[in-house]
Amino acid sequence: MEPATMAWTLAAAGFALVYWFVWVMGAAEVQGKRAVDLQMGSIAGDKVGDKYSQYWSFFRSPKETAAAATADKVPAFVDTFYNLVTDIYEWGWGQSFHFSPSLPGRSHRDATRVHEERVADLLEARPGKRLLDVGCGVGGPMRAITAHSGSNVVGITINEYQVNRARSHNRKAGLDAQCEVVCGNFMAMPFPDASFDGAYSIEATCHAPRLQDVYGEVFRVLKPGGLYVSYEWVTTPLYRADDPEHVEVIQGIERGDALPGLRRQDEIAAVAKEVGFDVVKELDLAVPPSHPWWTRLKMGRLSYWRNSLVIRALTLLRVAPKGVSEVHEMLYDTAQHLTRGGETGIFSPMHMVLLRRPEPAAAAE
């Protein structure tokens, strides 16, 4: 083959490879995020490194982390985290930022939808009902729950960038008349008392330094008799604080997911009762007969190399902001800790509680 022909062939092959990696291999869901669209939320491109360093400063040491985990500091810390990771989550995972038990013979998307529709069924959601999504992200669950039940859903998230992403997705799905999104702190929500028929949170309240604060707010905005279902991130009874591997796994999950500290499984129902809820049902959805939730995280080395190469190339070309590679590396490391937490059984991201705000007569008894 002539040198010129070989050069053109290699160039064409290189272009095809880049096109596949960047434009075709992109959105985790239809019309989600492509690699070329990766941003760092509302963070200016030249500030990503500073914000990433600021995020990690929260985890100087376990003792200092505990001291820093105050209600006035955590919202800004979590907001920074979601500015850093939202686009990467959408690109590599989808519009629903949570796990779900795998379903044999079914796709990850199917498993996600079933996990979300379970929430609607537990809440007895139907047309005319007004539900609250506590920590809604970019709105994947709210759209699934609205489509499944016909209910109206209002979501709240601390991150303004996620608000804009969720509203855009709602419009594209034709659900913007039923799905509303507001920016706010779920520990001090901007809603009137007794203004929702039901509420749910899917792997979101783990960001609250005190579960009482967010559960108390949900209790306040629910109508008497209203149901609230939450999927909680917890350590299980298998976790041993004297096992170095267990400690490293849990601290790795906390570091990589903006958590002020994971709670024990047995704390959840106790906190719910403390703020006034009746516990209707409590179940860890991660244990058998459920199938493993962490299988989707087991990214092979080739997949990781592929994604890392795309991000590094886009950063070099200044298509993606500097700092995206570091965030991607952090999330990959976190995935290893999450996987190990699932394999050992010391961590569950779906300890489910179904709670009810008592009717006035029942509360007086």
Side-chain angles (χ1 to χ4, degrees), residues 5-331:
T5 304
M6 180 177 293
W8 278 107
T9 301
L10 290 174
F15 176 81
L17 186 64
V18 170
Y19 179 85
W20 174 260
F21 276 176
V22 177
W23 278 272
V24 178
M25 194 283 300
E29 294 193 5
V30 176
Q31 299 303 312
K33 269 284 177 180
R34 297 182 307 165
V36 291
D37 298 324
L38 293 178
Q39 303 176 39
M40 293 285 99
S42 59
I43 301 174
D46 60 347
K47 300 294 183 183
V48 173
D50 292 342
K51 288 294 185 180
Y52 182 70
S53 298
Q54 178 183 324
Y55 172 80
W56 275 105
S57 71
F58 190 85
F59 294 101
R60 291 184 295 269
S61 73
K63 181 182 291 185
E64 292 180 32
T65 297
T70 57
D72 61 326
K73 293 182 180 179
V74 168
F77 162 70
V78 174
D79 182 41
T80 295
F81 173 76
Y82 280 112
N83 274 325
L84 292 170
V85 306
T86 290
D87 276 5
I88 295 178
Y89 277 2
E90 277 204 62
W91 173 53
W93 193 262
Q95 296 169 19
S96 295
F97 297 174
H98 64 79
F99 299 109
S100 56
S102 57
L103 299 176
R106 306 279 293 277
S107 68
H108 294 309
R109 187 181 297 184
D110 287 343
T112 297
R113 188 184 67 253
V114 168
H115 199 52
E116 293 166 347
E117 290 176 352
R118 182 201 299 261
V119 170
D121 295 340
L122 286 168
L123 293 177
E124 302 171 3
R126 57 185 183 273
K129 292 292 185 179
R130 187 171 187 250
L131 308 180
L132 173 64
D133 185 330
V134 182
C136 66
V138 298
M142 73 160 50
R143 288 183 289 279
I145 288 169
T146 295
H148 179 67
S149 69
S151 297
N152 295 318
V153 181
V154 178
I156 184 170
T157 172
I158 195 71
N159 185 261
E160 185 69 44
Y161 182 73
Q162 289 189 338
V163 171
N164 294 329
R165 291 293 298 164
R167 288 173 177 169
S168 175
H169 288 311
N170 291 344
R171 286 193 298 271
K172 289 177 182 178
L175 294 171
D176 48 319
Q178 290 175 271
C179 295
E180 179 186 349
V181 188
V182 301
C183 188
N185 182 349
F186 59 32
M187 295 182 289
M189 291 192 277
F191 306 122
D193 295 353
S195 52
F196 290 95
D197 299 297
Y200 64 89
S201 51
I202 301 180
E203 303 182 29
T205 60
C206 50
H207 293 300
R210 293 182 72 253
L211 193 59
Q212 291 88 338
D213 294 335
V214 60
Y215 274 19
E217 275 293 274
V218 175
F219 186 91
R220 179 184 67 80
V221 302
L222 267 183
K223 296 176 181 177
L227 292 169
Y228 169 46
V229 62
S230 187
Y231 293 168
E232 296 287 346
W233 281 31
V234 296
T235 58
T236 75
L238 295 177
Y239 172 72
R240 299 197 308 275
D242 60 350
D243 186 318
E245 183 193 8
H246 287 193
V247 173
E248 174 55 29
V249 166
I250 296 304
Q251 290 186 354
I253 292 171
E254 292 170 346
R255 289 192 301 266
D257 286 294
L259 307 183
L262 278 168
R263 282 172 272 274
R264 300 191 317 271
Q265 194 174 76
D266 61 2
E267 293 181 273
I268 307 304
V271 170
K273 293 175 183 176
E274 180 184 332
V275 304
F277 280 115
D278 291 335
V279 178
V280 178
K281 189 175 183 179
E282 182 177 16
L283 180 67
D284 187 356
L285 300 176
V287 300
S290 294
H291 293 272
W293 55 267
W294 62 89
T295 53
R296 190 179 175 190
L297 284 170
K298 287 192 168 184
M299 181 188 295
R301 291 184 181 274
L302 178 61
S303 297
Y304 168 69
W305 172 83
R306 177 193 62 189
N307 291 355
S308 181
L309 179 64
V310 168
I311 289 173
R312 290 177 186 277
L314 293 175
T315 302
L316 184 65
L317 295 171
R318 298 186 179 181
V319 175
K322 186 177 181 181
V324 176
S325 293
E326 288 80 358
V327 176
H328 178 257
E329 184 73 26
M330 176 189 77
L331 296 179

